[in-house]
Amino acid sequence: ELPLGGVLLRGGALDALPEAAALPRIEVVSVDGVVDGATLTLDGTDVRLLGVDAPFGEDCFAGQAARRLERLAGDEVLVEQGD
């Protein structure tokens, strides 16, 4: 018996292995602009970045956060396309 990814193989029973996960679809998307330090406009749609807690509006350092995101994003970004 060989442990392999949580599955015990007995006598070469490879049928017991789980199917491989599908690869995510990634595409290059144009950056139209930056709304604030955590939101980009991509192809005309505002997209909020998951897990980013940046100041916005009249918050202290909001302008710096937006300018930093502009420099980080550039003209194009990679976006994972969900189902």
XYZ file of all heavy atoms in Angstrom:
595
model
N 0.833 -1.186 0.000
C 0.000 0.000 0.000
C 0.872 1.242 0.000
O 1.776 1.376 0.796
C -0.906 0.025 1.226
C -1.912 -1.079 1.237
C -2.805 -1.024 2.470
O -2.670 -0.111 3.283
O -3.641 -1.905 2.583
N 0.570 2.148 -0.911
C 1.292 3.413 -0.993
C 0.322 4.562 -0.786
O -0.669 4.656 -1.504
C 1.968 3.563 -2.356
C 3.056 2.568 -2.724
C 3.477 2.776 -4.165
C 4.240 2.741 -1.800
N 0.597 5.420 0.195
C -0.273 6.599 0.320
C 0.046 7.594 -0.783
O 1.187 7.917 -1.028
C 0.088 7.159 1.696
C 1.453 6.654 1.974
C 1.613 5.361 1.220
N -0.977 8.046 -1.483
C -0.774 9.006 -2.572
C -1.957 9.953 -2.591
O -3.052 9.579 -2.982
C -0.646 8.282 -3.908
C -0.409 9.145 -5.132
C 0.944 9.851 -5.029
C -0.444 8.313 -6.389
N -1.715 11.179 -2.143
C -2.774 12.183 -2.144
C -4.006 11.760 -1.364
O -5.126 12.035 -1.761
N -3.801 11.043 -0.253
C -4.926 10.616 0.567
C -5.605 9.360 0.062
O -6.551 8.880 0.652
N -5.124 8.771 -1.028
C -5.711 7.549 -1.587
C -4.705 6.428 -1.424
O -3.533 6.587 -1.731
C -6.037 7.732 -3.092
C -6.567 6.438 -3.676
C -7.022 8.858 -3.286
N -5.138 5.292 -0.920
C -4.250 4.134 -0.815
C -4.360 3.315 -2.099
O -5.447 2.966 -2.541
C -4.635 3.256 0.382
C -4.326 3.836 1.753
C -4.816 2.873 2.834
C -2.848 4.084 1.921
N -3.206 3.058 -2.698
C -3.183 2.269 -3.930
C -2.869 0.822 -3.581
O -1.865 0.540 -2.957
C -2.130 2.814 -4.890
C -2.343 4.252 -5.363
C -1.211 4.660 -6.294
C -3.666 4.389 -6.074
N -3.717 -0.053 -4.009
C -3.492 -1.486 -3.786
C -3.443 -2.162 -5.138
O -4.379 -2.074 -5.907
C -4.630 -2.079 -2.965
C -4.691 -1.546 -1.574
C -5.719 -2.302 -0.744
N -5.733 -1.751 0.579
C -6.812 -1.324 1.202
N -7.979 -1.416 0.627
N -6.731 -0.819 2.398
N -2.333 -2.802 -5.394
C -2.226 -3.562 -6.639
C -2.380 -2.701 -7.878
O -2.923 -3.162 -8.868
N -1.952 -1.443 -7.837
C -1.989 -0.584 -9.020
C -3.367 -0.077 -9.375
O -3.664 0.158 -10.543
N -4.234 0.088 -8.412
C -5.600 0.551 -8.677
C -5.621 2.057 -8.925
O -6.053 2.835 -8.106
C -6.511 0.185 -7.510
N -5.152 2.463 -10.080
C -5.090 3.884 -10.406
C -6.466 4.486 -10.649
O -6.630 5.693 -10.662
C -4.197 4.107 -11.626
C -2.718 3.772 -11.426
C -1.955 3.955 -12.720
C -2.115 4.618 -10.323
N -7.466 3.625 -10.833
C -8.829 4.115 -11.041
C -9.326 4.895 -9.831
O -10.221 5.727 -9.944
C -9.786 2.952 -11.297
C -9.384 2.134 -12.507
O -8.470 2.566 -13.227
O -9.988 1.079 -12.718
N -8.746 4.624 -8.656
C -9.193 5.268 -7.420
C -8.714 6.708 -7.304
O -9.169 7.432 -6.436
C -8.698 4.472 -6.217
N -7.793 7.124 -8.172
C -7.291 8.487 -8.102
C -8.356 9.464 -8.555
O -9.076 9.209 -9.520
C -6.044 8.650 -8.979
C -4.797 7.912 -8.501
C -3.677 8.060 -9.523
C -4.353 8.426 -7.155
N -8.463 10.626 -7.862
C -9.465 11.615 -8.267
C -9.079 12.278 -9.586
O -7.912 12.307 -9.961
C -9.435 12.634 -7.121
C -8.102 12.465 -6.497
C -7.697 11.032 -6.708
N -10.089 12.785 -10.277
C -9.851 13.527 -11.511
C -9.057 14.786 -11.188
O -9.212 15.364 -10.117
C -11.180 13.937 -12.152
C -12.007 12.790 -12.670
C -11.413 12.182 -13.934
O -10.836 12.932 -14.745
O -11.522 10.958 -14.082
N -8.211 15.198 -12.110
C -7.450 16.437 -11.922
C -8.397 17.630 -12.014
O -9.359 17.625 -12.775
C -6.362 16.545 -12.990
N -8.142 18.634 -11.212
C -8.949 19.850 -11.260
C -8.700 20.575 -12.577
O -7.593 20.573 -13.100
C -8.589 20.763 -10.096
N -9.735 21.174 -13.105
C -9.598 21.926 -14.355
C -8.740 23.164 -14.115
O -8.814 23.788 -13.058
C -10.970 22.334 -14.868
N -7.937 23.502 -15.086
C -7.117 24.702 -14.986
C -7.996 25.939 -15.129
O -8.947 25.952 -15.909
C -6.047 24.703 -16.075
C -4.989 23.609 -15.980
C -4.083 23.655 -17.207
C -4.171 23.771 -14.720
N -7.694 26.979 -14.358
C -8.498 28.199 -14.491
C -8.250 28.871 -15.837
O -7.178 28.730 -16.422
C -7.989 29.093 -13.348
C -6.629 28.593 -13.053
C -6.628 27.133 -13.396
N -9.270 29.574 -16.326
C -9.119 30.352 -17.554
C -8.576 31.721 -17.175
O -9.182 32.430 -16.369
C -10.453 30.496 -18.274
C -10.970 29.207 -18.842
C -12.219 29.432 -19.650
N -12.830 30.724 -19.362
C -14.117 30.957 -19.293
N -14.958 29.994 -19.487
N -14.599 32.149 -19.027
N -7.444 32.076 -17.733
C -6.804 33.354 -17.455
C -6.775 34.154 -18.749
O -6.451 33.625 -19.804
C -5.349 33.151 -16.963
C -5.290 32.219 -15.763
C -4.689 34.488 -16.672
C -5.784 32.801 -14.480
N -7.132 35.426 -18.651
C -7.017 36.266 -19.843
C -6.450 37.629 -19.475
O -6.527 38.071 -18.331
C -8.337 36.397 -20.581
C -9.433 37.112 -19.875
C -10.695 37.154 -20.735
O -11.319 36.102 -20.938
O -11.054 38.262 -21.183
N -5.856 38.285 -20.460
C -5.298 39.624 -20.289
C -6.412 40.632 -20.549
O -7.103 40.549 -21.561
C -4.125 39.856 -21.271
C -3.589 41.269 -21.143
C -3.023 38.833 -21.042
N -6.601 41.559 -19.600
C -7.674 42.550 -19.700
C -7.065 43.942 -19.600
O -6.160 44.179 -18.797
C -8.712 42.342 -18.574
C -9.819 43.371 -18.641
C -9.289 40.941 -18.641
N -7.560 44.867 -20.413
C -7.082 46.253 -20.393
C -7.579 46.981 -19.155
O -8.728 46.832 -18.757
C -7.582 47.006 -21.622
O -7.053 46.441 -22.788
N -6.691 47.770 -18.562
C -7.056 48.617 -17.428
C -7.470 49.975 -17.981
O -6.669 50.670 -18.597
C -5.872 48.773 -16.447
C -6.233 49.738 -15.327
C -5.450 47.421 -15.886
N -8.743 50.330 -17.768
C -9.243 51.628 -18.226
C -8.898 52.733 -17.235
O -8.736 53.883 -17.621
C -10.767 51.593 -18.410
C -11.199 50.615 -19.489
O -10.408 50.349 -20.415
O -12.325 50.096 -19.396
N -8.827 52.374 -15.955
C -8.522 53.371 -14.940
C -8.558 52.787 -13.553
O -8.822 51.612 -13.353
N -8.276 53.644 -12.582
C -8.291 53.266 -11.174
C -9.328 54.128 -10.471
O -9.299 55.354 -10.580
C -6.891 53.465 -10.545
C -6.940 53.281 -9.052
C -5.888 52.511 -11.175
N -10.256 53.498 -9.778
C -11.304 54.210 -9.050
C -10.769 54.665 -7.694
O -10.939 55.801 -7.297
C -12.549 53.312 -8.860
C -13.607 54.005 -8.030
C -13.094 52.878 -10.204
N -10.131 53.735 -6.979
C -9.512 54.023 -5.688
C -8.413 52.997 -5.465
O -8.066 52.268 -6.394
C -10.548 54.043 -4.552
C -11.340 52.756 -4.436
O -10.744 51.663 -4.569
O -12.557 52.823 -4.198
N -7.891 52.912 -4.259
C -6.766 52.021 -3.999
C -7.084 50.546 -4.036
O -6.189 49.712 -3.921
N -8.354 50.191 -4.208
C -8.742 48.783 -4.243
C -9.695 48.458 -5.388
O -10.237 47.364 -5.444
C -9.387 48.382 -2.912
N -9.916 49.402 -6.312
C -10.868 49.182 -7.401
C -10.285 49.646 -8.723
O -9.832 50.778 -8.856
C -12.183 49.948 -7.137
O -12.654 49.644 -5.828
C -13.239 49.586 -8.157
N -10.298 48.739 -9.704
C -9.861 49.039 -11.068
C -11.076 49.077 -11.985
O -12.069 48.398 -11.726
C -8.925 47.943 -11.587
C -7.586 47.760 -10.897
C -6.941 46.468 -11.380
C -6.696 48.940 -11.170
N -10.981 49.823 -13.075
C -11.979 49.747 -14.124
C -11.359 48.934 -15.254
O -10.344 49.319 -15.822
C -12.386 51.146 -14.623
O -12.862 51.905 -13.517
C -13.480 51.053 -15.675
N -11.955 47.767 -15.518
C -11.458 46.845 -16.536
C -12.503 46.708 -17.631
O -13.628 46.276 -17.363
C -11.161 45.470 -15.926
C -10.231 45.439 -14.719
C -10.117 44.015 -14.189
C -8.863 45.979 -15.090
N -12.138 47.056 -18.838
C -13.067 46.967 -19.969
C -14.423 47.588 -19.629
O -15.472 47.035 -19.925
C -13.242 45.520 -20.430
C -12.013 44.982 -21.126
O -11.214 45.797 -21.624
O -11.836 43.749 -21.167
N -14.405 48.752 -18.963
C -15.627 49.480 -18.658
C -16.367 49.037 -17.407
O -17.413 49.585 -17.085
N -15.847 48.044 -16.688
C -16.509 47.537 -15.485
C -15.623 47.758 -14.271
O -14.443 47.414 -14.297
C -16.791 46.020 -15.630
O -17.582 45.801 -16.791
C -17.510 45.478 -14.418
N -16.192 48.335 -13.204
C -15.438 48.496 -11.961
C -15.289 47.145 -11.280
O -16.276 46.429 -11.083
C -16.141 49.471 -11.014
C -16.045 50.913 -11.489
O -15.300 51.170 -12.455
O -16.722 51.771 -10.899
N -14.046 46.810 -10.920
C -13.741 45.520 -10.294
C -13.011 45.789 -8.987
O -11.933 46.378 -8.979
C -12.874 44.640 -11.223
C -12.506 43.340 -10.532
C -13.577 44.390 -12.538
N -13.607 45.369 -7.891
C -13.007 45.524 -6.562
C -12.054 44.360 -6.312
O -12.395 43.203 -6.568
C -14.113 45.528 -5.510
C -13.649 45.767 -4.118
C -13.826 47.208 -3.771
N -13.465 47.410 -2.376
C -12.938 48.509 -1.930
N -12.741 49.517 -2.738
N -12.626 48.635 -0.680
N -10.850 44.661 -5.844
C -9.847 43.632 -5.585
C -10.149 42.931 -4.268
O -10.276 43.573 -3.225
C -8.450 44.245 -5.558
C -8.035 44.972 -6.839
C -6.684 45.630 -6.650
C -8.011 44.019 -8.013
N -10.261 41.623 -4.309
C -10.578 40.813 -3.144
C -9.429 40.846 -2.148
O -8.272 40.679 -2.511
C -10.842 39.370 -3.594
C -11.277 38.387 -2.535
C -12.648 38.787 -1.999
C -11.339 36.988 -3.109
N -9.733 41.093 -0.895
C -8.733 41.054 0.158
C -7.895 42.314 0.301
O -6.964 42.345 1.097
N -8.211 43.350 -0.451
C -7.459 44.610 -0.368
C -8.287 45.607 0.444
O -9.428 45.900 0.100
C -7.148 45.191 -1.769
C -6.482 46.543 -1.654
C -6.290 44.225 -2.556
N -7.692 46.111 1.511
C -8.360 47.092 2.368
C -7.588 48.399 2.267
O -6.682 48.652 3.049
C -8.407 46.589 3.805
C -9.185 47.514 4.721
O -9.955 48.344 4.209
O -9.020 47.404 5.946
N -7.912 49.190 1.261
C -7.202 50.451 1.010
C -8.099 51.627 1.368
O -9.329 51.536 1.266
C -6.802 50.529 -0.461
N -7.505 52.749 1.775
C -8.303 53.945 2.043
C -8.930 54.468 0.742
O -8.377 54.277 -0.336
C -7.289 54.932 2.601
C -5.959 54.454 2.167
C -6.077 52.978 1.975
N -10.107 55.099 0.851
C -10.763 55.651 -0.340
C -11.535 56.898 0.030
O -11.677 57.227 1.207
C -11.668 54.609 -1.003
C -12.794 54.133 -0.143
C -14.041 54.718 -0.229
C -12.602 53.095 0.754
C -15.080 54.281 0.568
C -13.642 52.648 1.550
C -14.878 53.241 1.456
N -12.034 57.583 -0.985
C -12.798 58.801 -0.764
C -11.933 59.877 -0.129
O -10.860 60.182 -0.622
N -12.390 60.420 0.978
C -11.666 61.471 1.695
C -10.749 60.918 2.783
O -10.180 61.684 3.558
C -12.672 62.466 2.299
C -13.517 63.186 1.269
C -12.677 64.026 0.309
O -11.739 64.698 0.757
O -12.973 63.992 -0.907
N -10.608 59.584 2.862
C -9.735 58.981 3.872
C -8.302 59.456 3.694
O -7.863 59.749 2.575
C -9.738 57.445 3.774
C -11.050 56.825 4.199
O -11.890 57.533 4.783
O -11.235 55.624 3.926
N -7.582 59.496 4.804
C -6.168 59.836 4.771
C -5.418 58.814 3.912
O -5.677 57.609 4.015
C -5.633 59.830 6.203
S -4.042 60.622 6.384
N -4.558 59.265 3.035
C -3.735 58.442 2.142
C -4.512 57.776 1.002
O -3.985 56.913 0.311
C -2.938 57.376 2.911
C -2.043 57.950 3.958
C -2.317 57.743 5.302
C -0.942 58.701 3.605
C -1.505 58.278 6.275
C -0.116 59.238 4.573
C -0.393 59.031 5.919
N -5.766 58.164 0.775
C -6.558 57.579 -0.310
C -5.926 57.866 -1.672
O -5.867 56.981 -2.536
C -7.987 58.091 -0.271
N -5.444 59.086 -1.864
C -4.814 59.441 -3.136
C -3.546 58.634 -3.382
O -3.296 58.175 -4.499
N -2.755 58.443 -2.332
C -1.533 57.645 -2.467
C -1.866 56.196 -2.817
O -1.187 55.577 -3.626
C -0.722 57.677 -1.174
C 0.012 58.970 -0.956
C 0.791 58.939 0.345
O 0.235 58.626 1.392
N 2.068 59.261 0.269
N -2.907 55.655 -2.185
C -3.306 54.274 -2.465
C -3.722 54.107 -3.920
O -3.349 53.143 -4.591
C -4.436 53.852 -1.534
N -4.487 55.070 -4.448
C -4.936 54.997 -5.846
C -3.751 55.114 -6.801
O -3.667 54.366 -7.778
C -5.958 56.094 -6.121
N -2.833 56.032 -6.524
C -1.653 56.177 -7.401
C -0.782 54.927 -7.366
O -0.248 54.507 -8.393
C -0.849 57.418 -7.004
C -1.543 58.726 -7.396
C -0.652 59.941 -7.200
N -0.244 60.133 -5.810
C -0.992 60.736 -4.878
N -2.192 61.198 -5.195
N -0.533 60.890 -3.651
N -0.677 54.311 -6.202
C 0.121 53.085 -6.080
C -0.509 51.963 -6.902
O 0.182 51.211 -7.584
C 0.223 52.693 -4.607
C 1.033 51.473 -4.362
C 2.456 51.721 -4.718
N 3.276 50.727 -4.070
C 4.524 50.525 -4.370
N 5.103 51.267 -5.270
N 5.207 49.610 -3.773
N -1.825 51.837 -6.841
C -2.505 50.811 -7.632
C -2.327 51.069 -9.121
O -2.142 50.137 -9.907
C -3.987 50.720 -7.263
C -4.780 49.626 -7.964
C -4.152 48.258 -7.752
C -6.224 49.635 -7.501
N -2.360 52.345 -9.532
C -2.109 52.679 -10.944
C -0.752 52.159 -11.388
O -0.612 51.577 -12.458
C -2.149 54.194 -11.151
C -3.498 54.760 -11.395
C -3.456 56.274 -11.604
O -2.374 56.892 -11.473
O -4.517 56.827 -11.888
N 0.273 52.396 -10.569
C 1.626 51.937 -10.920
C 1.715 50.414 -10.920
O 2.358 49.826 -11.790
C 2.661 52.520 -9.957
C 2.927 54.000 -10.174
C 4.185 54.486 -9.469
N 4.244 54.160 -8.050
C 3.735 54.916 -7.072
N 3.106 56.037 -7.363
N 3.850 54.544 -5.812
N 1.073 49.766 -9.959
C 1.127 48.302 -9.876
C 0.389 47.636 -11.038
O 0.860 46.645 -11.590
C 0.528 47.818 -8.550
C 1.341 48.095 -7.306
C 0.528 47.763 -6.062
C 2.629 47.295 -7.318
N -0.769 48.162 -11.405
C -1.593 47.537 -12.441
C -1.056 47.787 -13.840
O -1.078 46.885 -14.683
C -3.032 48.044 -12.339
N -0.578 48.980 -14.111
C -0.117 49.288 -15.460
C -1.274 49.357 -16.441
O -2.384 49.744 -16.090
N -1.021 48.926 -17.684
C -2.037 49.001 -18.743
C -2.900 47.752 -18.855
O -4.006 47.795 -19.393
C -1.367 49.244 -20.100
C -0.665 50.579 -20.153
O -1.112 51.518 -19.468
O 0.346 50.681 -20.879
N -2.368 46.610 -18.394
C -3.091 45.347 -18.518
C -2.881 44.514 -17.257
O -1.852 44.617 -16.599
C -2.584 44.543 -19.717
C -2.810 45.217 -21.046
C -2.229 44.418 -22.186
O -1.164 43.778 -22.011
O -2.837 44.425 -23.263
N -3.879 43.700 -16.934
C -3.790 42.781 -15.817
C -4.268 41.401 -16.244
O -4.985 41.263 -17.234
C -4.626 43.257 -14.583
C -4.049 44.528 -13.991
C -6.081 43.433 -14.949
N -3.871 40.377 -15.498
C -4.361 39.014 -15.715
C -5.579 38.797 -14.841
O -5.554 39.116 -13.659
C -3.282 37.989 -15.365
C -2.011 38.037 -16.211
C -1.001 37.032 -15.680
C -2.324 37.761 -17.661
N -6.632 38.258 -15.434
C -7.881 38.033 -14.707
C -8.298 36.578 -14.869
O -8.301 36.061 -15.990
C -9.003 38.963 -15.243
C -10.325 38.663 -14.570
C -8.618 40.410 -15.050
N -8.634 35.930 -13.741
C -9.153 34.569 -13.800
C -10.643 34.641 -14.084
O -11.388 35.336 -13.387
C -8.915 33.844 -12.482
C -9.455 32.449 -12.475
C -9.225 31.709 -11.175
O -8.490 32.217 -10.320
O -9.799 30.627 -11.027
N -11.082 33.958 -15.109
C -12.487 33.962 -15.500
C -13.198 32.813 -14.801
O -12.846 31.659 -14.970
C -12.638 33.818 -17.022
C -12.025 34.940 -17.800
C -12.669 36.286 -17.499
O -13.889 36.384 -17.385
N -11.852 37.308 -17.360
N -14.209 33.140 -13.981
C -14.984 32.111 -13.288
C -16.090 31.571 -14.172
O -16.335 32.051 -15.265
N -16.747 30.549 -13.652
C -17.867 29.943 -14.391
C -19.127 30.730 -14.228
O -19.418 31.350 -13.312
C -18.109 28.511 -13.925
C -16.941 27.614 -14.336
O -16.310 27.904 -15.346
O -16.705 26.626 -13.617
